[in-house]
Each structure stands twice: as structure tokens, then as C-alpha cells.
Amino acid sequence: QNVGSPRQNSRMNNPADTLAQVASDLRSMLSGDALAGRSDEERAEVLRGLGEVTRLADAVVVETVATADVEFGHRYGCRNMNELLQRALLTDATTAAKATRAAAAVRREVNLVSGERMPARWPFLRETLLDGQISIAGLLAAIGPIETAHDRISLSERLQVDEALARY
């Protein structure tokens, strides 16, 4: 088993270093004519791979927001999380709001008594998101009708829907 060099292992533990490496690798793909000479099959593989990377990047954004405390944005001079996301991701207010709504749906609150993380409101879809199988848009589309129902659906029914949607 190749466990890698100590530097590689420490990079794996530092999210900023990991993301810098991913960005560097993507820049390499864009340099020169690296994609120009590829076959259609190779281009299709690039697009499939980018779909996975995009969904996983969405999941990292959502999980970062979901695990932050309510003062996170304020500590960076922002009015709220939406503004922080706009600045950090260089995105528009609508995209930032979608990420914030997704984070609220999959956030695992901390139990005030035990300090342990409690299950997410949508635990199965949360795992699907973190596995890169669904995007922010897909998550919000899946939960939207059920969230609109509010208290007209029981917890057990919502969890059944959650599991069914995650399997689908």
C-alpha cells in the first residue's frame, strides 16, 4: 500500500492545499491546446468527469456553509452568509442563496446537551450530495415540494421520501 510522502499526506489533510492542487491541475488542462487534440470520446469523458467535479465542488460549498456558525459571514465583514458566498465564490446572489438553502436542508445541528451532531433534516439526500451524485439544483428540486408542505407531512413520511429520492 502506497501511503504517499508526508507532504502528500499533510496536503490531503489541508483543504486549502487540496483545492490549490485541483485548481492547478485544471489550469494545466487549459494550458496550450491540451484539449484541442482530443477525440470525441476523450472530450465526453472530460465532460463526465467535470460533472462529477462540479457536483463535488457544490457539496464542499454546502458542507462548508452547513458546518459554519451563524457569525461566520460577519467575521469577514459581510451582512450574512449569502454575501460571503458572493464574495468568496465570485457568484451572483441567486446562486449564493441556493447554496445557503441547500446547506440549511442538510445541516447537522449540534445537540445542546451532548454536543454531538444530530441527523440532517434530509439525511439520505445529504449523503447523496456529499457523494457527488446530486447537485445543489437537484437537491433543491427534490426537496422543494416537500418543504412547501411544512407540517402537513410527518417526520417518518419525510424520511421515507428522503430515502426514496436519494435512491432515485
Side-chain angles (χ1 to χ4, degrees), residues 100-155:
T100 303
R101 281 198 321 272
V106 300
R107 174 177 288 115
R108 295 180 62 217
E109 298 292 347
V110 176
N111 184 302
L112 293 176
V113 176
S114 69
E116 294 180 28
R117 289 213 176 264
M118 300 185 320
R121 179 167 172 75
W122 296 92
F124 295 102
L125 284 170
R126 177 182 186 277
E127 290 304 316
T128 303
L129 177 79
L130 296 181
D131 286 342
Q133 299 300 310
I134 191 171
S135 65
I136 290 173
L139 172 73
L140 294 176
I143 68 172
I146 306 304
E147 287 292 322
T148 302
H150 295 290
D151 294 334
R152 293 175 295 184
I153 183 171
S154 71
L155 172 62

Side-chain angles (χ1 to χ4, degrees), residues 5 43 89 102 141 158:
S5 71
R43 280 192 188 87
L89 301 176
R158 181 172 39 80

Side-chain angles (χ1 to χ4, degrees), residues 49-121:
L50 286 171
E52 181 179 14
V53 168
T54 300
R55 290 186 304 276
L56 288 168
D58 277 355
V60 172
V61 169
V62 169
E63 186 69 356
T64 301
V65 172
T67 57
D69 64 51
V70 295
E71 294 299 316
F72 182 56
H74 298 278
R75 287 193 291 274
Y76 290 92
C78 298
R79 291 181 307 259
N80 53 35
M81 185 61 75
N82 188 301
E83 182 181 348
L84 177 63
L85 288 174
Q86 288 176 62
R87 290 180 183 189
L89 301 176
L90 301 178
T91 195
D92 61 279
T94 301
T95 301
K98 288 177 182 178
T100 303
R101 281 198 321 272
V106 300
R107 174 177 288 115
R108 295 180 62 217
E109 298 292 347
V110 176
N111 184 302
L112 293 176
V113 176
S114 69
E116 294 180 28
R117 289 213 176 264
M118 300 185 320
R121 179 167 172 75

